[in-house]
Amino acid sequence: MARQRKHLSAANKEGKGRYSSSSGSSSSIARSLQENYFYWRQLLLIVVIGIAVVFGYIGYLETRVNTPFDSKKVVSKRGLSVPELFWGSYRPGTYFGLKTRDPFSLVTGLMWYFPHRLEVGGDGIRHWCEQGDNLSKYGWLQHDGNNFGLQEILDGPFILNTSFVKRAGGDHGGEWTARISVDVHPSHKGKVNVNEQVSLIWYATLDEETQSNIAPTNLGTDITGIRGETLLLGQFNMKLYPYKSSVDHESFLSTVAPGLSHLKETVISSLKIAQDNPTSPKKLILGGEYIPVGTEKKKTNFVAVQLTAKLPFIVDVAYESKSNLNINEKLIGDVYTKTMEWHQNRFNQRFEATFGLKSKGYEKREIYFAQAALSNLVGGIGYFYGCSKVQSYYTSDPVNYWMAPLFTAVPSRSFFPRGFLWDEGFHGLLICQWDLDTELDIMGHWFDLMNVEGWIPREQILGVESLAKVPSEFIVQRNTNANPPTFFLTLDYILDRYEEDLSYERFALLERLYPRLQAWYYWFNTTQTGPVPGSYRWRGRNPLAQRELNPKTLTSGLDDFPRASHPTDLEMHIDIYCWMAVASKAMARLGLLLGRSSYLKYQQTADYLLNNDMMDRLHWSNFSQSYADYGLHTDAVKLVRPKPLPRQQHQNLEMTRKVLKQPEYRLVDTTFGYVNIFPFLLQILDADSPKLSKILTDIRDPDLLWSDYGLRSLAKTSPLYMTRNTEHDPPYWRGQVWININFLAVQALAHYSKIKGPNQRQARRVYGELRSNVINNVIRQYYRTGYIWEQYSDKSGEGSGCRPFTGWSALTVLLMSERF
Ligand SMILES: *[C@@H]1O[C@H](CO)[C@@H](O)[C@H](O)[C@H]1NC(C)=O
Ligand SMILES: *[C@@H]1O[C@H](CO)[C@@H](O)[C@H](O)[C@H]1NC(C)=O
Ligand SMILES: *[C@@H]1O[C@H](CO)[C@@H](O)[C@H](O)[C@H]1NC(C)=O
Ligand SMILES: *[C@@H]1O[C@H](CO)[C@@H](O)[C@H](O)[C@H]1NC(C)=O
């Protein structure tokens, strides 16, 4: 990559050098001969250079997509230079596990099963967060993003608590203890066999062939543990200490696993039945020193310890570093209990100091919910390492991005346990209130993933564990495709709160961020432009789609929200117009703060886009009295199943779209939903605008967007309300209530209700109603189902989509605290 670019500039320099050395001969004949000679030589040279330049240029274009942006990285401290963040629950995709912020971390984690309930093939062994496990609840109840966490898991009639506490010390990132306690849930006491057992498997694994090693041990206790050594951790020990309970039997596994993505399979294939003597009960144990058939003996990279015990059972897993010499007390047993209590108290205080829910009069159960929501967002922060697969117009096949780390929160631990660009901007609004430096670190990691074009891939699938969860057709990221630049919202929000007291270090980070923000902005402002000045258009819609009722706009984040029925280059999207206004405003603000003269250019663009007359000319429909996309559109489309051909069997013809009336260029104003209210959502509309008044009336209308559970994404009156986009795709952004957009709406209402004028009163009224509808329903559903959901039904309020979804749905906490 970088080599190609160097090559090109070297060729240029060489060409220039030869040119200038050709003058200065004396004899005229000789000179003309020589000139002739030089002429041909030069011509040849130019041709050769020309060819080289063309090929070089093609090569250069090919490599741009995976060439890193050329400026100082934003993240300046990583790994052990941030010892307090070295260890963490950075594996959101597993029920419980700890690893370090290091590309080649030692990875630890938990699997469990109930031997009497284990099904053939290993069904019933829990490891990765899977919706199919059908757990009635799981998630962090408290987690401060750093020092401790406490999770509750309801698995059938059983309750598991998993918690951890960290302790600083030594030169290798400190130590921690994890506690796992299992019991019959109080509501099932007496209904479960008294001999019911649990098997807990604690494991450690090494990601890569490195200098590291791990091995089982039973030094010090009679329970097997794991010991090892890695470059960054030095020598360490993990010992298992049953607490106030005893173990029926234990076993271990020491083997070569084919990779992080196959740990559970490796455990299952090693499990075997054993019996102490012919009359004793059978038991299920791990395979000991185990070499799977067909693998040659390589270095052990996976060690697991299984403890099987009757309920209730509690075990402490203490990770101890050899470098930490001055330990007087082990962090186990009663000491652990006390330390945990101390952290919980501190957490409660900090939570109240940050969000003030108690002082607002919220009840205990509401605060419990809010703590869980925040804790799952910050407890869901992961550390990933790997490279995306990307493709550009100039690469014939997908190519690898560069290997890089990403520190990020995730939308859903089960369904989306990886980084998503536009989600992360929303996450940042809550995270920055809890811990600004963590949020800045997250933003830094994301912006360090920017390529030389100023593009950041939208979905980050880094590492084998992440890859194993994504269908292959979604892996490749295209550099033409955007995603809403929500980080500008985060940035603006951060400046609102912290502009006055930015420490030197934070200021310096913003300075490193600025050139990347400029490049990002420039990328949007040049690649996503629309057909007329001031207009913008999302790329990535497929005009050739046959099966979709309305070709999706994944890049906008609002996947199947109806747009123009026939994608063309002439369409204009109102939501990206508003995003660009927000981006321009935020850039101007930051530029000014950092004393950059470039701020002026952003201010000019902001003023230009914030001019409501301009927005109205492009997007206001006199007919429907609403803002709308513009494009080649007809509402007369439907999905039909093609007639089977005569005399052919087993025809399974998929439904395709039929266009009943030719489309025409127009505003897509028969549709009304989230997209149409973006000028209000992102506060682009002037506070005294009659159009704002119209929107406030429309969102309050139960036939349009109003529901008792929040604003629905698409009006009941819109042609595609709650319709399937293909026979396989159920509606997604076609009626359901989404929390991120409702957050923007409540935030906008708060804004407009502070500005004197014709709309103030109405804004204030709707603010109160909408805010409590959303909060009440999300809490109600949490207690009803055990989860926070991806979206909510506009008819019943029930959660739908995936769960737990504690990404932007966790913004409910900000709605409660009214921090906008
Ligand atoms: C999931 O669990 C619920 C109760 O917790 C039960 O009613 C339901 O049948 C289970 N579904 C599956 C597919 O196991
Ligand atoms: C699990 O945690 C909950 C909430 O802190 C607590 O009420 C319960 O007693 C704990 N159960 C066990 C078995 O530790
Ligand atoms: C954004 O693009 C528009 C249209 O191309 C241009 O007029 C404007 O100057 C650009 N803004 C900035 C800040 O580059
Ligand atoms: C919409 O109405 C306004 C005010 O009546 C008018 O100025 C404008 O030209 C109309 N726009 C269109 C596209 O008809």
Side-chain angles (χ1 to χ4, degrees):
M1 324 167 219
R3 204 180 28 170
Q4 281 286 3
R5 295 175 59 206
K6 272 203 196 106
H7 183 80
L8 187 70
S9 53
N12 276 338
K13 274 201 201 106
E14 207 176 320
K16 271 195 205 122
R18 296 248 170 127
Y19 238 91
S20 51
S21 72
S22 65
S23 56
S25 269
S26 48
S27 148
S28 69
I29 294 170
R31 188 189 285 155
S32 85
L33 271 177
Q34 227 173 23
E35 265 172 9
N36 227 340
Y37 168 72
F38 272 117
Y39 173 77
W40 286 109
R41 216 180 85 162
Q42 278 164 13
L43 193 67
L44 190 67
L45 201 72
I46 289 166
V47 169
V48 166
I49 290 171
I51 291 171
V53 165
V54 166
F55 275 94
Y57 190 61
I58 291 173
Y60 163 73
L61 290 175
E62 235 168 32
T63 56
R64 275 175 73 81
V65 69
N66 58 358
T67 301
F69 185 74
D70 188 16
S71 92
K72 215 186 260 168
K73 295 272 188 218
V74 183
V75 177
S76 61
K77 283 206 270 174
R78 50 182 83 241
L80 273 175
S81 51
V82 198
E84 66 279 11
L85 286 182
F86 196 53
W87 277 104
S89 54
Y90 303 133
R91 300 178 71 204
T94 53
Y95 288 115
F96 190 50
L98 289 99
K99 64 176 275 193
T100 61
R101 298 210 310 166
D102 171 43
F104 306 108
S105 174
L106 174 75
V107 173
T108 71
L110 173 73
M111 297 183 204
W112 78 87
Y113 62 91
F114 298 93
H116 300 167
R117 293 162 189 251
L118 191 64
E119 290 171 40
V120 275
D123 246 11
I125 300 185
R126 315 298 188 199
H127 182 222
W128 280 352
C129 302
E130 302 277 9
Q131 302 209 104
D133 288 346
N134 200 23
L135 303 189
S136 40
K137 176 180 177 177
Y138 67 92
W140 298 103
L141 301 179
Q142 296 193 324
H143 193 305
D144 70 355
N146 183 0
N147 306 295
F148 90 108
L150 166 63
Q151 177 173 236
E152 186 181 75
I153 300 171
L154 303 186
D155 187 354
F158 307 106
I159 173 168
L160 285 88
N161 288 349
T162 66
S163 62
F164 73 92
V165 169
K166 278 161 57 179
R167 181 149 81 171
D171 316 317
H172 295 277
E175 305 181 313
W176 48 263
T177 297
R179 170 171 289 180
I180 301 127
S181 67
V182 194
D183 201 355
V184 176
H185 192 270
S187 66
H188 286 80
K189 282 268 153 81
K191 296 183 213 153
V192 169
N193 188 331
V194 288
N195 289 321
E196 196 82 51
Q197 288 175 312
V198 65
S199 292
L200 299 180
I201 299 171
W202 188 262
Y203 65 80
T205 181
L206 295 165
D207 208 353
E208 290 276 310
E209 281 280 338
T210 48
Q211 302 286 32
S212 323
N213 65 71
I214 45 174
T217 171
N218 52 11
L219 303 172
T221 64
D222 53 355
I223 297 288
T224 309
I226 301 168
R227 69 184 156 80
E229 179 170 10
T230 78
L231 203 60
L232 292 186
L233 295 173
Q235 289 182 19
F236 62 84
N237 244 313
M238 267 184 274
K239 290 191 205 162
L240 283 69
Y241 300 91
Y243 177 50
K244 294 182 181 165
S245 43
S246 60
V247 172
D248 289 346
H249 63 84
E250 60 149 313
S251 55
F252 77 96
L253 171 66
S254 170
T255 188
V256 182
L260 263 179
S261 50
H262 289 81
L263 300 182
K264 182 165 153 182
E265 290 75 3
T266 306
V267 162
I268 291 172
S269 67
S270 96
L271 279 176
K272 58 188 185 192
I273 295 171
Q275 228 172 349
D276 295 336
N277 58 61
T279 55
S280 59
K282 291 191 173 129
K283 55 190 190 184
L284 205 49
I285 61 168
L286 293 178
E289 292 280 347
Y290 175 77
I291 302 158
V293 195
T295 52
E296 79 247 52
K297 173 86 177 148
K298 281 195 279 182
K299 204 165 71 180
T300 299
N301 66 2
F302 182 43
V303 176
V305 178
Q306 172 178 283
L307 304 184
T308 299
K310 280 190 211 47
L311 307 182
F313 180 59
I314 301 177
V315 64
D316 293 338
V317 183
Y319 170 91
E320 290 166 359
S321 167
K322 279 274 159 62
S323 78
N324 196 8
L325 297 171
N326 43 8
I327 288 199
N328 29 27
E329 228 179 9
K330 281 198 184 301
L331 185 52
I332 58 171
D334 295 343
V335 176
Y336 182 91
T337 310
K338 283 222 182 66
T339 315
M340 191 70 191
E341 276 167 14
W342 184 84
H343 278 294
Q344 289 190 265
N345 280 333
R346 211 172 68 140
F347 178 85
N348 288 329
Q349 283 163 17
R350 178 170 164 200
F351 191 84
E352 180 59 19
T354 311
F355 300 111
L357 299 191
K358 209 183 282 171
S359 68
K360 277 176 150 333
Y362 280 102
E363 292 166 19
K364 238 184 168 160
R365 67 193 287 278
E366 293 163 323
I367 294 172
Y368 175 97
F369 155 84
Q371 289 193 348
L374 171 85
S375 298
N376 279 294
L377 180 62
V378 297
I381 292 174
Y383 188 82
F384 305 89
Y385 185 78
C387 66
S388 303
K389 285 244 179 285
V390 299
Q391 185 153 20
S392 79
Y393 177 79
Y394 302 102
T395 60
S396 46
D397 291 306
V399 295
N400 284 338
Y401 222 50
W402 61 93
M403 295 294 282
L406 180 62
F407 186 55
T408 185
V410 303
S412 162
R413 286 174 60 194
S414 58
F415 217 71
F416 303 113
R418 53 188 175 275
F420 286 79
L421 185 54
W422 91 297
D423 292 70
E424 206 50 35
F426 284 108
H427 300 164
L429 303 176
L430 183 51
I431 296 174
C432 77
Q433 303 241 349
W434 181 249
D435 184 345
L436 176 61
D437 291 312
T438 293
E439 178 51 29
L440 291 173
D441 201 17
I442 288 174
M443 284 179 78
H445 276 88
W446 273 96
F447 279 88
D448 284 347
L449 288 174
M450 172 178 282
N451 77 1
V452 70
E453 303 164 317
W455 172 68
I456 304 175
R458 165 162 78 91
E459 183 172 347
Q460 295 287 337
I461 311 159
L462 309 182
V464 291
E465 254 185 325
S466 295
L467 268 170
K469 282 228 152 186
V470 184
S472 54
E473 70 263 33
F474 295 121
I475 289 176
V476 177
Q477 306 289 309
R478 279 163 219 280
N479 72 339
T480 41
N481 291 353
N483 210 199
T486 49
F487 274 128
F488 287 115
L489 288 183
T490 323
L491 193 66
D492 202 42
Y493 201 73
I494 288 174
L495 295 183
D496 278 348
R497 252 150 217 85
Y498 301 98
E499 184 163 358
E500 300 302 310
D501 62 344
L502 283 172
S503 65
Y504 173 77
E505 232 171 280
R506 290 169 178 174
F507 202 82
L509 184 140
L510 290 177
E511 298 222 293
R512 294 194 297 278
L513 194 57
Y514 191 69
R516 288 171 186 265
L517 285 166
Q518 283 190 295
W520 204 40
Y521 179 96
Y522 182 78
W523 183 86
F524 274 96
N525 202 35
T526 49
T527 67
Q528 308 292 306
T529 47
V532 302
S535 69
Y536 293 90
R537 171 170 73 88
W538 296 111
R539 302 307 194 263
R541 301 192 73 206
N542 178 8
L544 304 174
Q546 294 290 317
R547 299 198 180 101
E548 291 173 81
L549 193 54
N550 186 281
K552 281 202 286 286
T553 319
L554 294 169
T555 45
S556 74
L558 310 171
D559 305 13
D560 66 348
F561 187 96
R563 310 274 182 164
S565 60
H566 291 66
T568 67
D569 290 356
L570 294 184
E571 63 192 48
M572 308 187 267
H573 299 129
I574 176 69
D575 50 339
I576 188 170
Y577 175 99
C578 296
W579 284 118
M580 289 312 294
V582 165
S584 310
K585 217 162 45 155
M587 284 305 289
R589 182 173 182 184
L590 183 62
L592 193 61
L593 176 71
L594 299 178
R596 308 295 175 93
S597 56
S598 50
Y599 91 91
L600 200 59
K601 170 176 88 172
Y602 298 110
Q603 191 58 57
Q604 281 162 353
T605 306
D607 293 343
Y608 176 67
L609 296 176
L610 288 168
N611 176 343
N612 284 194
D613 291 341
M614 152 104 163
M615 182 166 70
D616 292 354
R617 269 201 309 282
L618 295 174
H619 289 291
W620 179 257
S621 161
N622 281 343
F623 166 71
S624 66
Q625 291 288 300
S626 65
Y627 287 100
D629 284 345
Y630 173 89
L632 187 58
H633 181 68
T634 172
D635 282 325
V637 289
K638 64 173 186 181
L639 291 179
V640 293
R641 193 169 308 283
K643 286 217 177 63
L645 299 169
R647 290 185 301 281
Q648 286 193 10
Q649 287 187 338
H650 305 302
Q651 293 187 49
N652 196 5
L653 297 177
E654 261 194 71
M655 292 177 94
T656 54
R657 182 172 87 165
K658 195 165 171 193
V659 177
L660 306 168
K661 196 171 146 253
Q662 279 315 301
E664 56 187 2
Y665 277 102
R666 50 175 285 192
L667 288 163
V668 188
D669 56 4
T670 48
T671 286
F672 186 71
Y674 286 168
V675 162
N676 308 78
I677 60 170
F678 259 79
F680 150 74
L681 292 175
L682 295 182
Q683 304 169 24
I684 312 302
L685 263 176
D686 297 335
D688 55 3
S689 166
K691 293 177 172 102
L692 176 60
S693 163
K694 179 70 168 62
I695 287 183
L696 293 179
T697 308
D698 286 350
I699 63 172
R700 188 60 192 80
D701 183 344
D703 285 333
L704 298 175
L705 302 193
W706 194 259
S707 87
D708 290 344
Y709 320 105
L711 300 181
R712 63 171 68 86
S713 37
L714 191 59
K716 279 192 192 164
T717 54
S718 291
L720 298 189
Y721 171 71
M722 286 311 271
T723 55
R724 300 178 82 87
N725 201 37
T726 71
E727 60 183 308
H728 308 294
D729 296 328
Y732 198 44
W733 291 85
R734 292 192 175 170
Q736 291 92 335
V737 174
W738 289 80
I739 304 306
N740 61 333
I741 303 293
N742 275 279
F743 172 82
L744 292 178
V746 175
Q747 189 185 37
L749 290 165
H751 166 77
Y752 289 119
S753 62
K754 279 183 213 124
I755 302 174
K756 279 213 169 53
N759 295 312
Q760 185 177 24
R761 188 119 58 82
Q762 200 179 0
R764 188 174 296 155
R765 206 185 59 239
V766 182
Y767 168 81
E769 290 177 311
L770 180 59
R771 176 173 166 265
S772 62
N773 279 356
V774 174
I775 294 171
N776 292 343
N777 187 55
V778 174
I779 296 181
R780 191 180 315 125
Q781 298 306 326
Y782 175 73
Y783 279 105
R784 199 178 66 80
T785 63
Y787 292 105
I788 295 172
W789 292 77
E790 184 180 18
Q791 32 162 254
Y792 294 88
S793 160
D794 62 323
K795 295 192 193 76
S796 63
E798 281 171 41
S800 56
C802 66
R803 49 127 175 107
F805 190 97
T806 42
W808 63 43
S809 296
L811 292 177
T812 311
V813 180
L814 291 187
L815 294 181
M816 293 170 81
S817 73
E818 301 188 275
R819 310 216 154 191
F820 302 114

